[in-house]
Amino acid sequence: MEQQQTDPDRVRDVIVVGAGPAGLAAAIAARRARLDCEVFERAALVNSILKFPTNMVFFTTPELLEIGDLPFVTPYAKPTRDEALRYYRRTVDAFDLTVRLGYEVSSIARQPGPDAAAVLAVDVDHPHEGSFRRLARTVVVAVGAYDCPNRLGIPGEDLPHVSHYYTEAHPWYRKRVVVVGGKNSAVEAALELYRSGVEVTLVHRHAELGEGIKYWVRPDIENRIAEGSIPARFETRVVEIRPREVVVESAAGRDVLPADAVLLLTGYHPDTAMLRRFGIDVDADTMVPAHDPETYETNVPNLFLAGQVISGIHSGRIFIENGRFHGQRVIAEIARRLAPAGDAVPA
Ligand SMILES: Cc1cc2nc3c(=O)[nH]c(=O)nc-3n(C[C@H](O)[C@H](O)[C@H](O)COP(=O)(O)OP(=O)(O)OC[C@H]3O[C@@H](n4cnc5c(N)ncnc54)[C@H](O)[C@@H]3O)c2cc1C
């Protein structure tokens, strides 16, 4: 593989895969530990937040989104997506992190290093610069779980008017949209669409909305459903999507809902194929990657995890609030391993 870097032979202390909040928190911890660290991000900085609904407001207060103890200053109790994007850009600048944007890590494998110890060979692809290999003593995989939506596996799911992501309502003004799901993403999309002059129908497979609906959103959606301004089909499944309609099924039988667009907001899961390509074992049922719960080291020695990727199918269990602390713990362990015998581990 072509060696395409300024210093190809240098073995990095740490490579971080993914520049989401968890990956950035790990990179800050590495910088504080004076480790040679480089972050590879395949898309934009904090790309998951970038893909969130344009007008999204976090359920978390700003201080719980902070990384590296850099204050998240906002006049609001709950920050907006735009403020979060600005905050994480500012964080990269403030800590002068080495973040390579647009570089996708395609594989990771152990190989003999320049000294006796094994190193991790990290293969990186860039659309214009081609492919190259970096060597690192340790790698932190912080790839999140937002790029793999939970697919329904039904006919029509890949039609052009179907999406697993919601951005904004305006394109659907005076049109009919079917929103599938019963958690925050689905409920908030349905409310915003309704308030933007869209004819919305909510379809949910369970009898009730999810327990974790934001406390200030719940009365709003429940009242809109009760008054009929957002018709809701509970205990109903979508079985087929056609270009202008959706076929749903419930105990009462099959029905057809007209739809100019369909939003399948049914959650996300880690990219298990990618994790396996990195050599990481993944539980077939839970999609949880194999790891030590104390150090977050995977079954591959010196290959660690951080952030939402750890949570498997239960992607709501790890979010920014708690995933931001993984990096500190991982880097403390890495610094301990890399410190020359007898040296104090940097704080
Ligand atoms: C609508 C919505 C609202 C939310 N609101 C909140 C909230 O209020 N509070 C909260 O705490 N959490 C919230 N969350 C959850 C939170 O966004 C995630 O938990 C968080 O983004 C996870 O951070 P992460 O760094 O682990 O992963 P991510 O933020 O997903 O970052 C992973 C990064 O890795 C990159 N990547 C993936 N594969 C590769 C590869 N092979 N090579 C290079 N880069 C790669 C991705 O492009 C991405 O940028 C919300 C989630 C959603 C969907």
Side-chain angles (χ1 to χ4, degrees):
M1 187 162 281
E2 190 189 347
Q3 300 280 305
Q4 194 170 338
Q5 58 211 43
T6 46
D7 185 7
D9 297 328
R10 194 173 92 229
V11 179
R12 270 66 177 170
D13 293 327
V14 192
I15 282 180
V16 176
V17 187
L24 295 178
I28 294 168
R31 171 151 284 258
R32 287 190 166 144
R34 295 191 288 280
L35 299 176
D36 179 9
C37 173
E38 191 171 19
V39 182
F40 288 105
E41 163 57 54
R42 70 176 168 192
L45 186 75
V46 289
N47 197 57
S48 298
I49 297 175
L50 178 67
K51 288 199 308 192
F52 284 178
T54 310
N55 303 315
M56 196 207 79
V57 175
F58 280 82
F59 59 78
T60 299
T61 49
E63 72 280 4
L64 299 179
L65 300 177
E66 289 173 359
I67 53 176
D69 301 320
L70 189 75
F72 189 148
V73 181
T74 162
Y76 307 116
K78 306 282 166 75
T80 64
R81 162 186 167 278
D82 213 33
E83 288 179 303
L85 292 176
R86 181 176 182 280
Y87 171 77
Y88 292 114
R89 289 197 301 269
R90 190 83 190 86
T91 307
V92 172
D93 293 342
F95 289 97
D96 193 22
L97 303 178
T98 304
V99 181
R100 314 262 181 232
L101 299 173
Y103 293 81
E104 175 161 16
V105 171
S106 54
S107 73
I108 303 173
R110 271 162 70 79
Q111 68 171 47
D115 48 26
V119 294
L120 292 165
V122 177
D123 289 338
V124 185
D125 299 331
H126 186 275
H128 307 301
E129 293 173 19
S131 303
F132 57 89
R133 175 167 287 179
R134 285 278 203 272
L135 300 180
R137 297 195 192 290
T138 65
V139 173
V140 182
V141 173
V143 292
Y146 199 51
D147 293 334
C148 292
N150 294 332
R151 292 176 58 86
L152 300 187
I154 55 170
E157 191 164 5
D158 294 318
L159 285 169
H161 68 310
V162 181
S163 176
H164 295 87
Y165 299 91
Y166 168 69
T167 48
E168 57 184 327
H170 185 82
W172 311 113
Y173 169 65
R174 293 206 172 175
K175 294 194 174 178
R176 297 157 306 183
V177 175
V178 170
V179 176
V180 181
K183 295 188 177 169
N184 278 307
S185 296
V187 161
E188 288 189 288
L191 285 167
E192 192 173 273
L193 287 160
Y194 158 67
R195 297 219 157 84
S196 305
V198 180
E199 203 180 299
V200 198
T201 304
L202 187 65
V203 177
H204 185 35
R205 65 186 165 141
H206 296 303
E208 292 179 0
L209 297 173
E211 285 178 5
I213 304 278
K214 295 169 186 174
Y215 64 84
W216 64 94
V217 171
R218 182 175 285 284
D220 193 5
I221 186 66
E222 288 180 346
N223 288 335
R224 301 296 74 73
I225 292 172
E227 73 191 16
S229 44
I230 298 181
R233 304 284 188 116
F234 288 101
E235 294 183 294
T236 301
R237 288 173 182 273
V238 178
V239 292
E240 185 183 348
I241 303 172
R242 299 173 185 156
R244 301 296 302 272
E245 58 194 20
V246 166
V247 183
V248 294
E249 190 174 73
S250 67
R254 285 198 169 197
D255 202 356
V256 174
L257 307 175
D260 300 301
V262 184
L263 295 173
L264 304 177
L265 305 180
T266 50
Y268 308 90
H269 62 268
D271 184 341
T272 52
M274 176 179 20
L275 295 172
R276 291 194 177 107
R277 233 174 23 245
F278 293 170
I280 302 170
D281 295 336
V282 181
D283 185 278
D285 296 325
T286 63
M287 295 191 184
V288 172
H291 66 281
D292 179 325
E294 293 302 314
T295 62
Y296 302 120
E297 187 174 24
T298 67
N299 54 293
V300 181
N302 296 323
L303 180 55
F304 296 80
L305 301 168
Q308 194 169 30
V309 66
I310 295 176
S311 57
I313 49 171
H314 301 292
S315 58
R317 287 189 186 158
I318 297 175
F319 29 98
I320 303 172
E321 287 187 33
N322 47 8
R324 66 193 173 134
F325 296 118
H326 296 164
Q328 284 170 0
R329 205 192 286 191
V330 167
I331 295 297
E333 173 64 17
I334 289 174
R336 189 187 65 74
R337 288 185 195 184
L338 298 186
D343 271 16
V345 176

